[in-house]
Structure formats: C-alpha cells, structure tokens
Amino acid sequence: MRTNRSKKVMRRAQQLMPGGVNSPVRAFGSVGGVARVIAQASGARIEDVDGNRYIDYVASWGAIIAGHAHPVVVDAVRSAAARGMSFGAPTELEVELAERVIEWIPSAERVRFVNSGTEAVMSALRLARAATRRERILKFEGGYHGHSNELLAKAGSGVATLGIPGTAGVTRAAVQDTLQVEFNDLEAVEEAFRRYPSEIAAILVEPCAANMGLVMPDDGFLEGLRRLCDAHGSLLVFDEVITGFRVARGGAQERFQLRPDLTCFGKIIGGGMPVGAYAGRADLMQQMAPEGPVFQAGTLSGNPVAMAAGLAVLDLLSRDGVYEQLDKLSGELSDGLRTLAAEAGVPFVSAAIGGMLGFFFHPGPVRSYEDARKSDERRFKAFFHAMLDQGIYLAPSPYEVTFLTLAHGPTEVEETLEAARRAFRKVL
Ligand SMILES: *Cc1c(COP(=O)(O)O)cnc(C)c1O
C-alpha cells in the first residue's frame, strides 16, 4: 500500500497545525504509522490521496449514517447553499428539522440547534443548573461529552470523588462540581446522592457508553438513574450525540423506553455538517433566552445549509426497515468477529446495537471504564494495522466504536470478516 502522498501532506500539516490535525485522534497517535489523508468518499468506501480505497468504519466518528456523499444529501446541500449560506435570521428549514426532532424523539417537546455536540451538552447543563438552582453534575467514568472544561474531569478514585482536572489548562475550580462514578454502578450513584443531598443538578449519561469502546447499560441501570433523579429532584440528561438516530429513530430513549428530561444531539443530526442540538421538556426549554433567563446563542446556529443536510439524512432514515437493516448488519459483523477471534484463540468480546458495534481484546465482561481499560492495546494496534493494510479503515483507537452506514451491506461485512480472519492470526 502506497502512503507517499499521505506522508508528504502530513509532514506539511505538522508544520502548520498541532500534530497536523484539527482533532487529536485523527493523528494515529495511539496506533502509530502514517495517518491517511482522505481525498474523497462515496457510500461505504473512502479513498486516500495515494488512491488507496478502504471500507470505512469511522464514518466521520458516527456523523455519517446514510453513506458518504449520498446524492439526496448532496443535492439538498447544493440547493440550500445556492440560496445563501447563512442569514442570522429565522428560516423555514430550522422549523422543519425541529418538527422532525420533536416528532421522533419521545422526550423532546422543544429543541434548540447549536453547532456541535460539545455546545449542546454545555448548554443543556447550564439549563439544568438554572432550573434546579443546584451546581453539581454527576457523570460516568469513560463518558465523553465534548471538550468543555468541566467535563474533562479525570476519574477520581472511589465514589463521587471531587473532580481532578484531566487535561492541562483545566483548573480545579472548573471541575470542582463534576462528580464521577463508574458506569453501571447504581450503588455509587446512590452514594453520591447520600453524600451531596440536594446538590446534584443533573446526571449526565451516554445511555450506551460509546466513547470507551461500546459498553451497554446493564438491565435496570438507566431505569435506576431515572428513579434516583426523580427521588432527589435532579434532572436526567441523556447525551445521545452518538446514539441519537443511530440505535433507533428515537434514539436510545425509544429503544430502552425511558424519558430523560433533556437530551443532547450532534453527529448524525447535521448529516455531516457541524450541528448539535439539545431538546427536552417544554417547561425546561422555555427557560432559555429569549423566553427565559438562561442565555445561549450562536452566530451560525440553525445554519440553513447544515439544516438542509440534517433534514435530508433524517428523510433517508424515515424509510421502512432502516434500523432493522442496521441491527442485522452490525450483529452479523460483531458475531462474525467474535467467532473468528475464538477460532484464532484471541480473548475478545464484542457487542452491537443499531448502526454501531464495539470490541475489546479482553475476555470480558466489560461493564465499566475500569474493565474497558484492561483491553490489550498491543493486540488492538496489531489488529488495526493488519486491517488497514487490507483496506479496512477502523477507528485508530481502542476506545472508539465501529460505525456502519446504510451504504454498508453484506458484501462489505464479508470482505471485512475475510480480512479479520487473517488479522486475528497476526495479533497472537
Ligand atoms: C462526539 C461526542 C460529543 C461531542 O461532540 P462534538 O461535535 O465533537 O463537539 C459529545 N458527546 C458524545 C457522546 C460524543 O460522542
């Protein structure tokens, strides 16, 4: 596989941008080797600047679900752009996308569009604090909610430990109200409420944790969070930036039949353009300016080109059988990988839901971040490169999930499993 041009472009990029990238994981830091510079993509396949083609399982980190450069989406973007890129005034496209979100998402009565998942979560928490007049937020170790200061708190040991900054540049003060416990540990959540009664504004959770590999909620875990929030007057905030429109039309809340008070979206909702959104109970959302006292704004929020892309993708997702197709395919890929790993004698677990799957080089079970961290990184690295060399583009990190789109089909899965059969032999 030729990588001359990727190498050349990355060398230039490194002189101009930190690490040569605009988001860290893209630099291949945890797997090593040359980051591929992408030239174009179509359907389930991407092509780099050296002309190598890959089956793409990154799908813009989950933002793409219809497949790359879907003609319906490209047309929608083109025709919106031709009418003007941005006005800073209301448009009908925003109303249409808002109607769609409120129709599909069970707990959404009002919605506001922003420009990223980070912004959506930041704003939802500001609202939760205003509405409850409380300051603390409880999140789960290994949960990723964007790069706002307070959510970059690192795991502290023990239950409900006060946050410790997880990255340079984040002050102690910024994370002092961020509590963290292990995912799937309801007792730790109860303990946090005992320790800080009437102080926790909200529990923030990815209903299927998808930023530490894929860790599914135990039966009763999410229900338990709902119950504890109700008992203690806290709000339940679902971060559905990944699960929204990916595990079901109505996201994880439809799939698990739960009603969070607020929900955050990103990725798919913009159809590949930079969009985020937060939505929820009308009485809460009405506290946002200009109806209420909580300020939040955005020069490019509700951008017409981005709204058009999001709408086009949601239209494609409204077709019958779409989620059944994604479930079936992700299940087949996940089961296939597990079988091949077992044949090769490699400790391996995997899980799938909707248009995503996750795997760990670990005998399992994986129920928390602590478990996820035990995955064998050396094996992942070897597997990643063996797959890449065979034209399979997985996320270059053991803590990311594997994304499918509507353009992936049995042919892609078969090709991927063929490559995996050989790759598992190289990780021993
Ligand atoms: C990607 C992600 C975010 C952040 O979204 P950005 O658009 O990258 O700011 C927040 N929460 C979850 C669950 C995510 O996966």
Side-chain angles (χ1 to χ4, degrees):
M1 190 168 279
R2 280 168 298 124
T3 56
N4 295 354
R5 196 165 170 84
S6 274
K7 251 186 221 147
K8 232 163 105 183
V9 175
M10 283 309 290
R11 262 203 302 272
R12 249 170 82 205
Q14 279 152 7
Q15 300 306 311
L16 304 166
M17 298 173 284
V21 293
N22 287 300
S23 196
V25 187
R26 296 179 196 170
F28 274 37
S30 67
V31 292
V34 192
R36 302 306 199 263
V37 176
I38 304 305
Q40 56 183 338
S42 169
R45 317 235 169 193
I46 54 170
E47 188 178 321
D48 68 21
V49 289
D50 289 289
N52 302 304
R53 282 168 60 78
Y54 309 85
I55 300 178
D56 180 23
Y57 288 104
V58 175
S60 188
W61 305 92
I64 299 293
I65 195 163
H68 290 288
H70 193 291
V72 168
V73 183
V74 173
D75 277 353
V77 165
R78 224 180 240 141
S79 85
R83 294 193 298 271
M85 301 284 288
S86 181
F87 315 117
T91 64
E92 258 183 271
L93 285 167
E94 292 165 286
V95 178
E96 279 177 46
L97 190 56
E99 278 170 350
R100 184 59 62 82
V101 170
I102 287 164
E103 184 190 329
W104 283 8
I105 305 298
S107 70
E109 296 171 352
R110 296 282 189 282
V111 59
R112 170 152 293 165
F113 295 110
V114 292
N115 305 290
S116 67
T118 297
E119 259 189 85
V121 178
M122 230 171 66
S123 311
L125 294 187
R126 183 180 304 149
L127 171 54
R129 284 173 165 145
T132 57
R133 297 191 172 80
R134 297 177 179 183
E135 299 193 354
R136 293 190 197 274
I137 300 295
L138 187 137
K139 72 177 278 284
F140 297 91
E141 288 176 23
Y144 180 68
H145 305 285
H147 63 87
S148 66
N149 284 341
E150 64 179 340
L151 297 175
L152 290 174
K154 198 163 82 180
S157 63
V159 172
T161 310
L162 282 178
I164 298 162
T167 180
V170 172
T171 62
R172 248 159 213 291
V175 296
Q176 72 180 6
D177 291 322
T178 309
L179 308 171
Q180 294 212 87
V181 299
E182 283 283 2
F183 191 70
N184 276 327
D185 189 348
L186 264 187
E187 258 180 43
V189 177
E190 280 170 20
E191 172 62 30
F193 275 116
R194 271 197 295 277
R195 193 152 162 197
Y196 302 106
S198 311
E199 287 185 50
I200 299 175
I203 295 181
L204 173 63
V205 64
E206 291 179 72
C208 306
N211 281 288
M212 47 168 152
L214 178 60
V215 180
M216 298 294 283
D218 287 350
D219 284 347
F221 175 64
L222 297 172
E223 291 80 355
L225 297 182
R226 178 70 275 177
R227 180 170 43 75
L228 287 168
C229 281
D230 290 342
H232 294 276
S234 300
L235 299 180
L236 181 60
V237 181
F238 271 11
D239 182 344
E240 296 225 44
V241 170
I242 284 186
T243 52
F245 313 104
R246 183 166 284 282
V247 304
R249 203 159 289 159
Q253 56 196 272
E254 174 190 315
R255 192 115 180 185
F256 297 108
Q257 308 249 310
L258 275 158
R259 270 180 102 85
D261 300 292
L262 294 170
T263 307
C264 305
F265 298 98
K267 303 197 166 109
I268 289 175
I269 201 169
M273 300 285 288
V275 180
Y278 57 106
R281 278 166 40 197
D283 65 301
L284 293 172
M285 294 298 292
Q286 280 161 341
Q287 299 187 34
M288 297 310 298
E291 263 185 85
V294 187
F295 188 75
Q296 184 271 310
T299 301
L300 293 174
S301 293
N303 173 271
V305 183
M307 296 289 104
L311 263 172
V313 168
L314 296 200
D315 269 348
L316 294 165
L317 290 174
S318 70
R319 296 180 178 171
D320 280 343
V322 157
Y323 289 94
E324 290 77 1
Q325 176 191 328
L326 289 169
D327 268 331
K328 181 161 183 282
L329 215 59
S330 62
E332 280 169 12
L333 186 51
S334 167
D335 293 349
L337 288 171
R338 226 168 31 242
T339 305
L340 293 170
E343 282 169 17
V346 176
F348 185 91
V349 282
S350 67
I353 182 169
M356 64 177 166
L357 59 137
F359 56 83
F360 297 99
F361 286 90
H362 180 289
V366 178
R367 296 178 52 248
S368 66
Y369 188 50
E370 194 186 351
D371 296 339
R373 296 289 300 213
K374 292 179 192 147
S375 185
D376 187 330
E377 295 192 16
R378 187 191 57 81
R379 281 198 166 127
F380 173 82
K381 226 189 224 181
F383 185 75
F384 169 84
H385 280 292
M387 294 296 273
L388 191 67
D389 289 344
Q390 298 179 83
I392 312 293
Y393 190 89
L394 298 169
S397 157
Y399 302 110
E400 305 289 348
V401 298
T402 300
F403 291 108
L404 292 166
T405 72
L406 296 175
H408 289 73
T411 316
E412 281 76 22
V413 166
E414 212 173 288
E415 210 176 301
T416 305
L417 290 175
E418 260 321 296
R421 182 190 308 278
R422 289 184 284 269
F424 278 124
R425 288 195 212 112
K426 297 196 173 162
V427 307
L428 290 172

